[in-house]
Amino acid sequence: YNFILLSLTMFKINYCFRYRFLYLLGFLFAFSSNLFAQIYNGFQSINHNQIDRRFYLYVPNNYSANNPIPVLFNFHGGGGDPVTYMNYTSDMRGLAEENNFILVYPEATTDPSTGSISWIDKATNGAPRDETNFIDAIINLISRDYSVDSDRIYACGYSEGGIFSYELACRLNNKIAGIASVSGSMLSESERSNLGFSSCSPQHPTAIMLIPGTDDTNAHSLYQGCCLGWNLDSYYLSANEITEYWTNFNSTDNNPSVSDVTNTSTSDGSTIQRKIWLNGDGGVEVQELKVIGGAHDWPGTSGNMDIDANNEIWQFLSKFDKNGMINNLNIEDFHKSVLVTPNPFNNFFKVKGVENDLIELYDLFGRKIECKINDDIFNTENLKRGVYFLIIKEKNISFKLVKS
């Protein structure tokens, strides 16, 4: 009897232990799946034109095969590489996580005429290396392996990477919804022809952002263009010629909305003027962030610190797809897309969905109120209790706010 009782007791203990072990194993598996759910973070290889090439791929934790998401290409400058560029100039991995998009840092290859790493060969000898085909191959590969929103593929880049981004907007336009170029100009048609490339031929409303410095001394990113003043051919367009080209193509308003970005960093030797050409085909826009006194920099990392170029680029491009502005928001829809919290407020409120420099705050007597702004947070500690009105200049709409 004691033997039977002991056996039953041991069976119960073993059963409970096995049950708890399996439960614990399942919990750990679920935890580890969430912890390491990020699909990819590292280099991938691709054979293109019988050459092994590579690109750095970052797929966010929230990626799901059931939900097509955008893709953003980010191009390093001439002579650079993806990892150094990502770590020290433009790290957008946090943005990719927060906004759920696939991030790609391609790697350029050697220009045979100069021996330097380049996106655009300086001398083609009649056989141009067209890197737009390389990017097209990456898009096809990523679209095969991941669920991609093919209407929302964007490009941005620094220096020569910015120049190359314009080439994608011009010559891979069937794949690219919009681009942003930082400290990089756009090729003239004569130079494009000299290099053996086809002409700039966009096919759909294309969102364009440029962030040039007025004191940039690099020949390929001079604010005034290069190089007619040196009795040479026109290789690169001026900032004004770039905006003229894309505003004409997109049929935007002739005159931009102009505002000054708050000079929060008074020691960086530069200020920023924001110019937005609105009401293009499909609601598309062209925007210039003119860095007055700016050099060959990436704002937020080097040079001007009034803006973070990473945030500006994503906030701008993400509003558009290949048809123009997503859902082409009317005034009522735009009002709904802007979030102001908390309301009533006390020592601060936060505004999401619109650039800070397009926002003005007034009291009941129509007096403009100045507030310190940091990362979309408006500091209102010094305001008296009462009713205030937040005005969005671009849309001429307002929000009623109450300080309690």
Side-chain angles (χ1 to χ4, degrees):
Y1 174 80
N2 289 337
F3 175 76
I4 294 173
L5 183 62
L6 179 62
S7 298
L8 290 172
T9 302
M10 292 300 294
F11 174 80
K12 183 177 180 181
I13 291 172
N14 288 336
Y15 177 80
C16 292
F17 175 78
R18 281 183 289 180
Y19 178 79
R20 290 178 180 176
F21 176 75
L22 290 173
Y23 177 81
L24 178 62
L25 188 64
F27 172 78
L28 290 174
F29 178 78
F31 177 76
S32 64
S33 296
N34 289 330
L35 188 62
F36 303 107
Q38 184 173 291
I39 306 301
Y40 207 90
N41 179 20
F43 276 105
Q44 282 202 3
S45 297
I46 181 174
N47 188 278
H48 178 67
N49 287 344
Q50 288 75 53
I51 300 174
D52 289 331
R53 303 286 298 273
R54 64 179 190 166
F55 58 93
Y56 194 99
L57 178 66
Y58 188 91
V59 181
N61 286 317
N62 291 330
Y63 168 79
S64 168
N66 298 321
N67 178 32
I69 61 174
V71 175
L72 175 61
F73 284 85
N74 195 339
F75 298 97
H76 63 76
D81 68 88
V83 172
T84 304
Y85 172 63
M86 179 176 63
N87 288 334
Y88 296 102
T89 301
S90 176
D91 188 349
M92 291 187 168
R93 288 172 292 185
L95 280 173
E97 281 295 332
E98 183 180 349
N99 298 281
N100 200 34
F101 64 86
I102 294 172
L103 180 61
V104 186
Y105 289 89
E107 185 172 57
T109 190
T110 302
D111 180 346
S113 64
T114 64
S116 64
I117 301 297
S118 174
W119 291 112
I120 301 172
D121 291 350
K122 302 303 184 292
T124 63
N125 298 321
R129 172 173 59 92
D130 189 350
E131 289 286 72
T132 64
N133 295 323
F134 173 48
I135 304 309
D136 193 21
I138 296 177
I139 291 173
N140 293 337
L141 178 64
I142 294 174
S143 299
R144 184 198 71 187
D145 294 342
Y146 297 94
S147 184
V148 168
D149 185 343
S150 60
D151 286 337
R152 298 185 67 196
I153 300 176
Y154 312 111
C156 68
Y158 168 67
S159 191
E160 191 180 74
I163 298 171
F164 183 58
S165 295
Y166 282 118
E167 289 306 291
L168 295 176
C170 283
R171 300 188 290 109
L172 196 63
N173 191 255
N174 62 315
K175 297 286 182 72
I176 301 297
I179 68 101
S181 176
V182 181
S183 298
S185 187
M186 177 174 162
L187 294 179
S188 67
E189 278 301 339
S190 60
E191 178 63 4
R192 198 171 282 114
S193 176
N194 290 339
L195 293 170
F197 298 145
S198 59
S199 62
C200 185
S201 303
Q203 304 166 14
H204 61 77
T206 305
I208 300 291
M209 169 177 272
L210 54 155
I211 309 179
T214 60
D215 290 2
D216 194 331
T217 58
N218 283 261
H220 59 251
S221 52
L222 294 171
Y223 192 82
Q224 67 272 24
C226 178
C227 299
L228 290 176
W230 302 345
N231 295 319
L232 298 171
D233 289 338
S234 173
Y235 298 144
Y236 305 103
L237 302 184
S238 68
N240 289 340
E241 289 171 324
I242 294 170
T243 56
E244 181 180 12
Y245 177 88
W246 288 106
T247 55
N248 285 339
F249 171 75
N250 285 316
S251 300
T252 67
D253 294 342
N254 290 328
N255 298 315
S257 167
V258 181
S259 61
D260 293 326
V261 174
T262 304
N263 186 21
T264 57
S265 180
T266 56
S267 61
D268 60 26
S270 60
T271 58
I272 291 184
Q273 182 185 70
R274 187 188 303 273
K275 297 193 284 186
I276 308 175
W277 287 262
L278 301 163
N279 302 314
D281 294 338
V284 78
E285 299 171 4
V286 173
Q287 182 171 160
E288 178 187 355
L289 286 164
K290 180 180 180 180
V291 188
I292 301 168
H296 198 67
D297 300 311
W298 185 281
T301 299
S302 61
N304 184 276
M305 294 295 165
D306 298 330
I307 63 169
D308 183 333
N310 292 337
N311 291 334
E312 291 285 347
I313 288 169
W314 178 252
Q315 189 173 35
F316 176 74
L317 291 178
S318 62
K319 297 189 298 184
F320 307 99
D321 61 17
K322 288 197 295 186
N323 300 308
M325 182 175 285
I326 297 171
N327 297 326
N328 199 9
L329 297 177
N330 57 34
I331 294 297
E332 182 180 354
D333 292 331
F334 183 85
H335 197 286
K336 292 177 181 177
S337 73
V338 177
L339 181 65
V340 183
T341 57
N343 188 22
F345 64 91
N346 189 6
N347 292 327
F348 73 92
F349 62 82
K350 189 169 185 177
V351 181
K352 299 291 288 185
V354 65
E355 292 88 351
N356 291 337
D357 50 292
L358 298 179
I359 297 172
E360 292 179 344
L361 188 66
Y362 293 86
D363 65 16
L364 271 175
F365 300 98
R367 294 175 297 201
K368 185 177 178 180
I369 307 298
E370 299 295 337
C371 293
K372 292 182 179 179
I373 308 171
N374 183 25
D375 194 23
D376 301 327
I377 297 175
F378 289 66
N379 188 322
T380 57
E381 288 180 314
N382 297 326
L383 295 187
K384 296 179 180 179
R385 294 179 181 178
V387 176
Y388 295 85
F389 293 94
L390 186 146
I391 308 296
I392 300 177
K393 295 182 291 184
E394 180 183 298
K395 297 290 184 178
N396 293 321
I397 62 176
S398 63
F399 294 81
K400 179 180 177 182
L401 306 179
V402 177
K403 179 165 184 180
S404 58

